[in-house]
Amino acid sequence: PAYVDTSYIQDVVQLIPRMRSWTNTHYFSDVPIAITEYNWGAEGHINGATTQADIYGIFGREGLDIATRWTTPATNSPTYNAMKMYRNYDGNKSTFGDVSVRATVVNPDNLSAFAAVRNSDGALTVMVINKVAGSTPVTLSLAGFAGTGTAKVWQLTSTNVITAKPDISYAANSLAITVPGQSITLLVLPPVPPGFALQSA
């Protein structure tokens, strides 16, 4: 909310919340909003991938209805693979969740996180995007997610290959992982076991 655009605009933009406010004020509250022809570049570099993953997370968190890129990234480029982390991370068309869940981090300029529950199977999906060069230890506090279990892990690094990593056990609403520098890590926590229920945070 306090970020001032560094270009000629030199003002607080809050683009998606501003567009939503305009539609709510001047049209109807359910009018879809879109960002079209966006592109942050660096498609052939892991930095372009982490940027694309961050953008997808922000679009989802802010409730953007439509987003279209200006040009499709080359197949198997880092940016293309970042898109696959949300839409087909395992080659079987498995996806990030479709019901947004609140996720907060200490410094989103260095490491961001986005979470959602997948309606198709009830899994909790968490995307962790490390934007700095060095590896970063991360502890997920899973407040509101009952139960214990094992998380599946997929990762995209500068090697530009989406890799299934070893499963990670979690308990007592906490999961610890160290993510490599300049990486995108997806954690998929299975549906809550029978007898448990998702709790509101």
Side-chain angles (χ1 to χ4, degrees):
Y3 175 75
V4 175
D5 189 280
T6 58
S7 73
Y8 67 92
I9 296 171
Q10 290 294 310
D11 198 359
V12 173
V13 177
Q14 283 196 290
L15 184 61
I16 300 172
R18 180 174 289 188
M19 290 193 304
R20 180 65 67 203
S21 174
W22 286 341
T23 60
N24 290 346
T25 301
H26 303 293
Y27 298 97
F28 303 98
S29 60
D30 58 351
V31 169
I33 59 174
I35 292 179
T36 60
E37 300 187 359
Y38 79 88
N39 189 330
W40 269 264
E43 294 174 359
H45 191 275
I46 189 64
N47 181 261
T50 56
T51 302
Q52 180 64 56
D54 209 27
I55 291 164
Y56 268 178
I58 292 167
F59 286 170
R61 182 191 67 206
E62 298 299 324
L64 187 70
D65 296 289
I66 301 168
T68 56
R69 280 182 51 93
W70 176 252
T71 73
T72 303
T75 302
N76 292 326
S77 66
T79 298
Y80 178 89
N81 284 330
M83 295 170 140
K84 284 181 67 175
M85 288 291 287
Y86 281 92
R87 303 299 304 157
N88 186 20
Y89 57 84
D90 60 357
N92 293 315
K93 302 196 189 302
S94 297
T95 65
F96 189 70
D98 48 342
V99 179
S100 187
V101 174
R102 184 170 56 113
T104 58
V105 296
V106 176
N107 184 350
D109 290 339
N110 291 341
L111 184 136
S112 56
F114 304 95
V117 171
R118 195 162 55 199
N119 258 330
S120 62
D121 63 358
L124 174 65
T125 57
V126 182
M127 195 74 72
V128 178
I129 304 157
N130 189 9
K131 306 170 196 178
V132 299
S135 61
T136 304
V138 176
T139 300
L140 299 180
S141 174
L142 304 168
F145 188 76
T148 61
T150 303
K152 299 287 184 188
V153 183
W154 280 266
Q155 203 166 72
L156 176 65
T157 66
S158 60
T159 63
N160 193 31
V161 176
I162 297 173
T163 306
K165 308 301 281 185
D167 294 352
I168 297 178
S169 296
Y170 64 94
N173 297 111
S174 184
L175 184 151
I177 184 173
T178 297
V179 294
Q182 287 280 290
S183 66
I184 304 164
T185 302
L186 172 63
L187 299 129
V188 180
L189 286 69
V192 177
F196 288 94
L198 286 174
Q199 305 164 355
S200 57

